[in-house]
Amino acid sequence: MHRNALVLFSGGQDSTTCLAHALSQYERVETLAFDYRQRHHVELEARLNVLQHIKTTFPQWAHKLGEDHLLDLAVLGQVSETSLTRDMVFKMEASGLPNTFVPGRNLLFLTLAAALAYRRDLDVIVTGVCETDFSGYPDCRDDTMKAMQIALSLGMDRRLLIETPLMWIDKAQTWQLAHDLGERAQTGGGDALVQLIVEQTHTCYLGDRTHRHDWGYGCGTCPACDLRAKGWVRWQG
Ligand code: ZN
């Protein structure tokens, strides 16, 4: 019986939905993010705002929300040159992967998350990876997650569950999932959680918080905004 979870929580739409999932499922939930010198610190700021708003909007979740962790992963900037950490234009590489791809990044994230979970006595790691997503990052695949679950459980000699609530759903369904989770928590909570995600979460690669759309803030044209916007339109449709 799993009771406690650690959520990989970046402050975006996906990880906020994962956080709501964990809060609806587990008794104690802690959150984790990595600072790898993202070009834009708005995501790290957004995540603190999301946590604060979740506590005030969903009192029955507030007492479950435990410690928030931020790990310094500046070393990632030394091993990779991508448009996420350097001032480069987002584009698709010849490999078919976008240049936001940091090889093995999620493997590193999960290993550190597992070490933290071990120390904090948390037995589930929740992450918003998704195979339905446009980018097709190989370290977000379901098989990669299952292999990591086995490797980490063996390597730490403790049974660890890696949970991926978004693995097989698209962005429209992610909006719906957030609505369902909010509604299940309290009457009217569906709209409240969607509104919270629209207002407080951050997805835009360019760190744009000046342009407000129906689906939230962002430049509106980068691949992350595009995905979020299209999902919103399909969900609203
Ligand atoms: Zn954008």
Side-chain angles (χ1 to χ4, degrees):
M1 180 63 187
H2 303 288
R3 292 183 303 120
N4 305 319
L6 178 65
V7 180
L8 270 70
F9 177 62
S10 69
Q13 177 191 355
D14 290 349
S15 67
T16 300
T17 306
C18 285
L19 177 59
H21 164 85
L23 288 166
S24 71
Q25 203 88 1
Y26 303 109
E27 288 166 24
R28 182 163 60 92
V29 176
E30 298 192 7
T31 45
L32 167 64
F34 302 98
D35 185 356
Y36 47 100
R37 308 294 190 262
Q38 290 98 326
R39 279 196 303 162
H40 307 285
H41 266 257
V42 287
E43 243 197 25
L44 296 178
E45 285 162 28
R47 62 191 297 285
L48 296 179
N49 292 335
V50 170
L51 288 174
Q52 195 48 50
H53 278 84
I54 284 207
K55 280 182 194 162
T56 50
T57 312
F58 293 92
Q60 67 278 58
W61 283 349
H63 73 278
K64 298 179 167 192
L65 209 44
E67 217 170 294
D68 178 45
H69 310 268
L70 183 64
L71 293 182
D72 187 340
L73 221 53
V75 65
L76 213 51
Q78 293 173 16
V79 294
S80 65
E81 281 210 9
T82 80
S83 64
L84 283 186
T85 50
R86 301 284 166 89
D87 203 13
M88 288 163 63
V89 176
F90 182 95
K91 65 176 173 64
M92 296 301 281
E93 302 279 14
S95 62
L97 290 168
N99 64 350
T100 47
F101 177 60
V102 182
R105 184 177 64 178
N106 264 314
L107 308 183
L108 194 59
F109 284 2
L110 286 168
T111 304
L112 291 167
L116 182 67
Y118 187 99
R119 182 166 65 78
R120 301 288 304 163
D121 203 22
L122 306 163
D123 48 12
V124 182
I125 294 174
V126 184
T127 169
V129 291
C130 174
E131 272 206 30
T132 324
D133 212 332
F134 77 110
S135 45
Y137 293 147
D139 58 348
C140 292
R141 285 179 195 150
D142 191 46
D143 282 353
T144 308
M145 292 302 118
K146 291 191 163 88
M148 283 303 282
Q149 176 174 296
I150 293 169
L152 293 168
S153 293
L154 287 173
M156 299 196 184
D157 199 21
R158 189 183 287 185
R159 182 86 182 125
L160 185 79
L161 180 72
I162 297 181
E163 200 177 20
T164 57
L166 312 183
M167 183 59 81
W168 306 113
I169 65 176
D170 63 21
K171 278 280 187 280
Q173 291 167 305
T174 302
W175 285 111
Q176 183 60 45
L177 177 60
H179 192 276
D180 291 347
L181 289 165
E183 199 59 39
R184 219 175 299 153
Q186 66 194 35
T187 309
D191 289 342
L193 186 56
V194 168
Q195 202 51 34
L196 192 159
I197 289 172
V198 166
E199 291 296 334
Q200 307 299 338
T201 69
H202 184 82
T203 309
C204 176
Y205 282 148
L206 302 183
D208 188 326
R209 293 296 291 175
T210 56
H211 297 94
R212 168 68 157 81
H213 314 264
D214 290 347
W215 44 267
Y217 291 90
C219 71
T221 51
C222 78
C225 281
D226 188 51
L227 200 64
R228 177 162 163 157
K230 281 180 179 155
W232 173 268
V233 168
R234 274 206 317 283
W235 181 57
Q236 292 281 296

